[in-house]
Amino acid sequence: MMPLDDETAGSIRKTVLVTGATGYIGSRLIPRILETHAVRCLVRDRGRVPASFRDRIDAVEGDVMHSPTVRQALKGVDVAFYLIHGMGNGTDFQQSDRIAAEGFAKVAQDEGVSRIIYLGGLGDENDPELSPHLRSRHEVGEIFRNSGVPTIELRASIVLGPGSLSYELIRSLTQRLPMMICPRWLSTPTQPIATDDVLSYLHQAIDLPAEQSELFEIGSQDVVTYGQLIQMYAKERNLRRLLISVPLLTPYLSSLWLGLVTPTSADVGRHLIEGLRNPTVVRDNRALSRFPHQPMSTSEAIRQAVAAEG
């Protein structure tokens, strides 16, 4: 457990709801906020809540698409984390995300929730080529920010840490393919972020002084390409990898190719790869001045992630 900073240590104890509690970010965030706040989770199956904190939280079984259970989960809550998205729900995931967010926001307003904290994705919303996955993440953030409930939206790119879907794609590709015929998206710039950095930003967002909805872009200290991430991972693992770039692989074919070499399904992989064609870099650095946390570099994040694998 990382030591609490002065701002968090002096906070008033709140009741905090975490959705996505069994997911990659949610399951790692809960142990941090349990030290200072009461935590409730909205989960489909309480048996999937990690045993390490299952007895320390209040678990409500339900689904964000089911209004009565959302109301039960949000009753008496001060701050609600929304850490879910429906990328694996087939072709209608955008509609599902929209309906779920609108319903959650309405109930949160009815129940007097004082703050929603949402983790979305980087990317330029004015880009006509923005992928459906990233566009949906932006739409959900906009729904919350316009809901009447003050919302802190954090936008991030690839999260670097064992278990993160994007990181596992990089790891699987690098470990399994000594030579890669790579599509053009490997030259797309991105500003990834370490898992610990994301968790620190989310934790501090609970008590961040803000009277209205705000959007913050978060990332590591530097911008890299996806190809560089593969090479950086290979270097940490003492692997020699040859990348041969070709412009022929479409995002759809790339997702099928990824399905052969990674544990990710082709459907989820396709949505991820569609997002990789879009630059995901921090264009607004206000988070560096508003949050006490300072993120690490990409090389430090990769080194930390590789060390955590073992």
Side-chain angles (χ1 to χ4, degrees):
M1 184 69 63
M2 294 182 63
L4 297 175
D5 55 79
D6 292 338
E7 178 181 325
T8 304
S11 65
I12 299 173
R13 187 171 179 85
K14 298 178 175 66
T15 298
V16 178
L17 174 71
V18 179
T19 64
T22 60
Y24 177 72
I25 292 295
S27 63
R28 287 159 175 79
L29 176 65
I30 289 170
R32 296 193 177 211
I33 60 180
L34 267 172
E35 298 303 318
T36 49
H37 302 290
V39 177
R40 182 181 299 161
C41 301
L42 176 62
V43 293
R44 292 180 179 176
D45 179 3
R46 74 178 71 236
R48 293 183 57 203
V49 176
S52 59
F53 57 78
R54 187 181 303 152
D55 295 335
R56 300 173 61 196
I57 57 101
D58 174 19
V60 175
E61 287 191 337
D63 190 289
V64 289
M65 299 294 283
H66 186 232
S67 181
T69 56
V70 171
R71 189 170 300 279
Q72 180 185 355
L74 284 170
K75 192 169 296 293
V77 162
D78 300 301
V79 177
F81 281 93
Y82 197 86
L83 304 175
I84 55 178
H85 57 91
M87 189 168 58
N89 294 338
T91 57
D92 63 346
F93 74 90
Q94 292 172 274
Q95 181 179 1
S96 297
D97 278 349
R98 182 183 310 115
I99 293 172
E102 289 173 344
F104 190 89
K106 182 180 185 306
V107 176
Q109 186 177 39
D110 291 345
E111 294 297 330
V113 174
S114 62
R115 176 170 294 182
I116 293 173
I117 301 172
Y118 171 62
L119 181 60
L122 285 172
D124 184 0
E125 58 263 30
N126 296 317
D127 182 358
E129 300 281 321
L130 193 66
S131 74
H133 162 54
L134 290 175
R135 196 169 296 283
S136 179
R137 301 296 288 273
H138 289 187
E139 182 182 19
V140 168
E142 185 176 8
I143 288 170
F144 287 141
R145 285 185 281 108
N146 294 334
S147 67
V149 180
T151 296
I152 302 296
E153 178 181 357
L154 299 173
R155 290 184 178 178
S157 183
I158 287 178
V159 178
L160 296 176
S164 162
L165 190 55
S166 298
Y167 179 78
E168 292 302 328
L169 287 173
I170 292 170
R171 177 165 75 163
S172 295
L173 284 172
T174 310
Q175 288 185 340
R176 301 184 189 190
L177 298 178
M179 182 181 72
M180 285 174 262
I181 299 177
C182 304
R184 188 166 48 192
W185 51 258
L186 278 188
S187 63
T188 302
T190 183
Q191 200 160 347
I193 187 168
T195 300
D196 278 351
D197 288 332
V198 173
L199 296 177
S200 293
Y201 277 120
L202 289 169
H203 190 186
Q204 292 172 4
I206 295 175
D207 297 298
L208 184 76
E211 297 181 359
Q212 58 187 6
S213 294
E214 294 198 58
L215 189 160
F216 297 98
E217 298 181 339
I218 57 175
S220 66
Q221 298 174 8
D222 44 349
V223 176
V224 296
T225 66
Y226 292 101
Q228 287 173 320
L229 282 176
I230 289 174
Q231 296 287 24
M232 292 166 74
Y233 180 88
K235 181 179 179 181
E236 285 297 321
R237 281 293 188 185
N238 294 315
L239 301 171
R240 294 178 62 87
R241 293 295 181 258
L242 178 62
L243 306 185
I244 302 175
S245 297
V246 295
L248 303 177
L249 289 178
T250 66
Y252 176 71
L253 289 177
S254 294
S255 70
L256 297 180
W257 168 60
L258 286 174
L260 296 175
V261 295
T262 72
T264 308
S265 71
D267 189 38
V268 173
R270 178 167 59 85
H271 294 310
L272 280 175
I273 297 302
E274 285 175 347
L276 298 188
R277 73 186 182 213
N278 302 123
T280 49
V281 298
V282 173
R283 296 172 296 149
D284 183 341
N285 287 308
R286 286 185 308 114
L288 296 178
S289 59
R290 291 291 304 280
F291 287 82
H293 181 74
Q294 299 296 306
M296 66 185 76
S297 67
T298 301
S299 60
E300 289 177 292
I302 290 282
R303 189 174 305 115
Q304 185 181 86
V306 170
E309 288 178 15

